[in-house]
């Protein structure tokens, strides 16, 4: 059927309906049925809408798969390195603590190094291989929090003596993010996202 639209006096033809116009001229009996014309017009619009919605869903699905696929086309782990360092700063030796977590990928393996000092004494220092599923679980959680969306910060130029400037440094393929923080500010409401990242890292255990 032929569909003609009028906009401000100009008549515009839909080129997709030219073939059906020729057919309708040859068979006038079909042209008399107005309900059929309306039905075809509606059916022509609705598949486009459905197709558009389907495309959005497929794109979302591809994005989700991309986030959870941490290997390249060769089946090797994509380059990833995550470092978290936190310390108590300048306090009496018996109250000093420090934590350093380092999660990184090799070609076929993942490793987690942890070093913890409490009350001035070394209580943990180890490097262990991490199972694939556990690594992917950690990465899914970090991406859900939004670690990949943070900017790459430089260390603050003005530093206060006796205050430790702790940091989280993240690199995944071409994505990089890094942020610094002090123990006093990390509990403020505006630091909720970064605090959640730190707590997620601190829960990592082989």
């Amino acid at each position: 059927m032929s569909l003609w639209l009028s906009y401000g006096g100009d008549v515009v033809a839909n080129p997709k309906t030219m073939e059906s116009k020729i057919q309708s001229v040859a068979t006038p009996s079909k042209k008399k049925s107005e309900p059929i014309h309306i039905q075809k017009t509606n059916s022509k619009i609705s598949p486009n809408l459905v197709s558009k919605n389907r495309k959005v869903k497929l794109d979302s699905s591809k994005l989700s798969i991309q986030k959870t696929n941490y290997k390249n086309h060769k089946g090797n782990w994509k380059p990833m390195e995550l470092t978290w360092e936190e310390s108590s700063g300048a306090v009496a030796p018996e109250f000093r603590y420090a934590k350093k977590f380092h999660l990184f990928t090799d070609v076929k393996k993942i490793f987690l190094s942890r070093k913890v000092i409490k009350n001035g004494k070394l209580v943990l220092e180890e490097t262990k291989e991490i199972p694939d599923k556990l690594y992917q679980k950690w990465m899914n959680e970090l991406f859900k929090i939004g670690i990949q969306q943070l900017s790459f910060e430089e260390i603050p130029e003005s530093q206060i003596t006796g205050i430790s400037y702790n940091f989280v440094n993240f690199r995944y393929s071409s994505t990089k993010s890094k942020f610094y923080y002090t123990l006093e500010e990390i509990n403020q409401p505006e630091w909720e996202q970064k605090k959640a990242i730190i707590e997620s890292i601190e829960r990592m255990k082989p």
Side-chain angles (χ1 to χ4, degrees):
M1 303 300 293
S2 176
L3 179 61
W4 295 84
L5 304 177
S6 175
Y7 294 92
D10 296 331
V11 179
V12 181
N14 187 344
K16 294 183 180 179
T17 61
M18 292 302 295
E19 183 178 353
S20 60
K21 178 182 177 181
I22 297 172
Q23 293 176 354
S24 64
V25 172
T27 55
S29 58
K30 294 182 180 180
K31 186 177 180 181
K32 294 179 181 180
S33 180
E34 187 65 23
I36 295 177
H37 175 78
I38 297 174
Q39 184 177 358
K40 286 188 176 183
T41 302
N42 291 338
S43 64
K44 181 178 284 188
I45 295 175
S46 59
N48 292 337
L49 295 176
V50 173
S51 176
K52 184 177 180 182
N53 292 335
R54 186 181 293 115
K55 183 178 180 181
V56 172
K57 291 180 180 179
L58 288 175
D59 290 345
S60 176
S61 176
K62 289 179 180 179
L63 182 61
S64 177
I65 293 173
Q66 185 178 2
K67 286 183 178 180
T68 56
N69 183 18
Y70 302 113
K71 292 185 177 182
N72 59 24
H73 64 284
K74 295 182 178 180
N76 299 327
W77 293 110
K78 295 179 181 178
M80 195 289 304
E81 186 174 11
L82 174 66
T83 305
W84 169 52
E85 289 192 21
E86 181 179 291
S87 64
S88 56
V91 296
E94 62 270 22
F95 299 112
R96 288 178 185 171
Y97 81 86
K99 301 175 184 178
K100 180 177 180 179
F101 283 38
H102 185 207
L103 179 69
F104 59 98
T105 59
D106 198 352
V107 177
K108 294 294 185 181
K109 298 181 179 181
I110 309 104
F111 296 95
L112 174 64
S113 295
R114 297 188 300 161
K115 184 177 181 179
V116 179
I117 296 174
K118 289 184 179 180
N119 301 325
K121 297 180 180 180
L122 180 65
V123 296
L124 176 65
E125 187 171 18
E126 65 177 16
T127 298
K128 290 189 176 182
E129 186 177 348
I130 303 301
D132 296 5
K133 289 185 178 180
L134 186 57
Y135 168 70
Q136 294 183 48
K137 178 183 176 182
W138 292 345
M139 291 293 288
N140 289 341
E141 183 175 346
L142 289 172
F143 275 115
K144 185 177 180 180
I145 299 172
I147 189 172
Q148 77 282 7
Q149 299 172 353
L150 300 177
S151 60
F152 191 88
E153 300 178 3
E154 299 293 338
I155 189 168
E157 294 182 0
S158 58
Q159 300 186 26
I160 304 174
T161 303
I163 300 296
S164 64
Y165 284 83
N166 315 292
F167 70 89
V168 171
N169 187 17
F170 175 71
R171 178 178 65 86
Y172 174 70
S173 293
S174 59
T175 301
K176 295 192 301 182
S177 63
K178 187 174 186 178
F179 65 87
Y180 291 86
Y181 67 95
T182 64
L183 299 177
E184 290 76 13
E185 64 188 356
I186 197 61
N187 291 316
Q188 297 176 4
E190 60 268 25
W191 286 77
E192 182 178 357
Q193 179 188 18
K194 294 177 180 179
K195 184 178 181 180
I197 292 173
I198 295 169
E199 291 175 344
S200 177
I201 298 172
E202 193 170 16
R203 287 194 297 268
M204 294 180 179
K205 295 180 181 179

